[in-house]
Amino acid sequence: MRLFEMAESGHKIDDATYEKRVKKLRADLLDAQYDLKELGAFPVVVLINGLDGAGKGETVKLLNEWMDPRHIDTYAFGEASEEERQRPALWRFWRTLPPKGKIGILFSNWYAELIARHARGKVRKRELAGRIADIQRFERLLSDENALILKYWFHLSEKGQQKRLKKLAANPLTAWRVTAHDWRLCKRYQPFVKAAEHVLGETDSAHAPWVVIDGSNENHRALAVGEHLFAAIRARIARQRALQKRPPASAKAQRPSAARSPGVLTGLDMSQYLSDKKYGRELEQWQGRLNLLSRHPGFRERSAVLVFEGMDAAGKGGAIRRVTAALDPRHYRSVPVAAPTEEERAQPYLWRFWRQLPGHGQFVIFDRSWYGRVLVERVEGYCSEADWRRAYGEINDFEHQLVDNGAIVSKFWLSVSADEQLRRFKEREETRFKRFKITPEDWRNRDKWPFYETAVNDMVARTHTEIAPWHLIAGDDKKHARVAILRTLCERIEAAL
């Protein structure tokens, strides 16, 4: 087990040397922590994993003593709760990510359960590879969103673990920390360490490296983690400050080409129309069908994630109201998405959407969504070209996790012609109770129509998947669009059930 050989060599640091180095380290860590907070440019995600008895808890306790605990969030994860099992496996970890400028310490994180199951032979080879790939993509996303990821594995030799657990069990003050579960794990030392070595080897990367800590000496392990943490934060701060001195990229250069080219939107038949009589009949039919599906016994183990995107004045709000009219208010949430708040800007862009995911038997309806990264943020230059280009893969991965967990993902693009949009804009200006719907920003966006059209074509081409396809809805006639959406949604749920 070559990965752990250096951690079994018995590093020792005497008390006098320890006290001398700790005095300097505490001041260094506090300085780095406050520089991190003041800069506010990146979060620090600290993952704590390892063998029982190797000093994980004691070391984290020291870190909270040495630094300002007001700017450290510490979480310990056990077995997933019923609420957590109703969402994708990474949901509970997304919710605890630290914002920019803070440190988050996560015990028994996304590695703990996977390694334990692998050691017991409870995870098949294909599932193991898939879970590892999910973790790799997750950490790559966090890194691309500028998070500093530090992963510590606390290790002991087999004899060292037995000795450590016996010492803890013999002391009345610490005996409570050693459970029957710990002793069972100790007896399975070899398969556990072999499983850990495999997972660590597969997930060690330049952007999220593993640091193996010898846990046999409390002075050594505390200094090893503290000094590594300080050096990593200080190096990232220096790099961030150097980046901030560079001139910003031109937002204009980040926009898609305005040149018109054939795309998915050009094939829509915008002349589709429903008479008032047929609309009333079909609306009632499909709303009734949706209501029955929402109460179907099979839906109790599923959830529905609805995404509504479209040009301004395309009729998203009206379509959403026709969907929610068919649902029990206790079983759905509508999430209107606007510009991110200060809290949301301090997190990866997908964070605010992960927080809103539904439990079983629930609908969540997004009025605009995570596709803002490849639409408005792309066109307006709010993110770099590298950011919106990598977002296609991140979005596909996000939606894949939703579907794997039982969510029925339905994505609707409401298309409206330029002439019809202009008519609706003017109607809003002239109708007193509709004036709140029209803003100067709507007119500015209309001037950028070719840019948005190109971005939409790229979005559909890159994120239309078998498990989460796009449904393009001709929206010049609102009645036709509303019925088409209800019919498509019912068919999607029926197929899933």
Side-chain angles (χ1 to χ4, degrees), residues 1 115 118-121 185 187-197:
M1 302 188 184
I115 292 174
H118 183 26
R120 297 196 303 270
L185 287 179
K187 291 179 181 179
R188 294 198 298 267
Y189 178 91
Q190 292 297 332
F192 184 83
V193 170
K194 184 177 180 181
E197 187 173 48

Side-chain angles (χ1 to χ4, degrees), residues 435-444:
R435 286 177 190 162
F436 75 96
K437 294 184 177 182
I438 187 76
T439 67
E441 185 178 353
D442 295 326
W443 289 106
R444 287 195 299 271

